[in-house]
Amino acid sequence: MKKHILFLLGFFLLMSGVFAESPFSEPTQNPNVRYRLFPTQNMWTFLKLDTMTGRIWQVQYSIRGEEYRFETILSSTDITDILKQEKTVGRFTLHPTTNTYNFIMLDQIDGYTYQVQWDINIENRFVLPIKAVQ
């Protein structure tokens, strides 16, 4: 009887691991580099972040041909210039949200946050500051 219970317990543990959703495994990246790639929930699209200035590009790869592969500016604004901040490698990072098209960009030195939205259509791309409520 003990053998049957142990067998069933082992079987259920094994099957729960087989059918469990595994999170997307992101490659380890060095946080102290000028540029980093962040995956989106769209398998073809990544965001390239300049960790020193907060500038962002949308990068798309494709197996359908060269015309589907591109890198385009999402935000050309150098946030450190506008706010008169020190340019430091690793200052900015991106955090995904549960919304496919949105990320939160964090200034890891001063704590400022920004909503980043990428999209295929240029008119739907933006980076907006998130105002702190006191």
Side-chain angles (χ1 to χ4, degrees), residues 6-20:
L6 287 175
F7 173 77
L8 287 174
L9 181 61
F11 176 76
F12 286 121
L13 286 173
L14 177 65
M15 294 311 287
S16 67
V18 169
F19 294 109

Side-chain angles (χ1 to χ4, degrees), residues 1-121:
M1 182 68 174
K2 264 187 173 179
K3 287 182 181 180
H4 292 296
I5 292 173
L6 287 175
F7 173 77
L8 287 174
L9 181 61
F11 176 76
F12 286 121
L13 286 173
L14 177 65
M15 294 311 287
S16 67
V18 169
F19 294 109
E21 284 187 43
S22 62
F24 180 73
S25 174
E26 194 175 324
T28 303
Q29 294 190 42
N30 181 349
N32 299 315
V33 293
R34 176 89 189 253
Y35 297 96
R36 291 185 61 196
L37 276 179
F38 294 87
T40 68
Q41 291 180 27
N42 177 315
M43 67 183 279
W44 308 106
T45 304
F46 286 77
L47 298 182
K48 181 172 87 172
L49 173 67
D50 181 339
T51 68
M52 185 185 312
T53 66
R55 293 174 46 199
I56 305 170
W57 294 262
Q58 183 173 321
V59 179
Q60 183 170 311
Y61 73 98
S62 174
I63 58 173
R64 292 180 60 194
E66 189 173 320
E67 64 273 14
Y68 296 98
R69 275 189 301 274
F70 63 85
E71 180 175 308
T72 185
I73 194 76
L74 193 148
S75 173
S76 62
T77 303
D78 182 336
I79 296 170
T80 57
D81 278 349
I82 292 172
L83 298 179
K84 307 291 188 240
Q85 296 169 315
E86 180 183 349
K87 292 184 186 298
T88 305
V89 169
R91 179 177 197 113
F92 295 97
T93 191
L94 291 173
H95 293 273
T97 67
T98 55
N99 180 303
T100 301
Y101 299 99
N102 283 267
F103 283 72
I104 302 297
M105 181 168 62
L106 173 66
D107 178 335
Q108 298 184 111
I109 295 174
D110 290 337
Y112 296 120
T113 52
Y114 304 84
Q115 179 180 350
V116 175
Q117 181 170 299
W118 70 271
D119 198 280
I120 299 302
N121 300 316

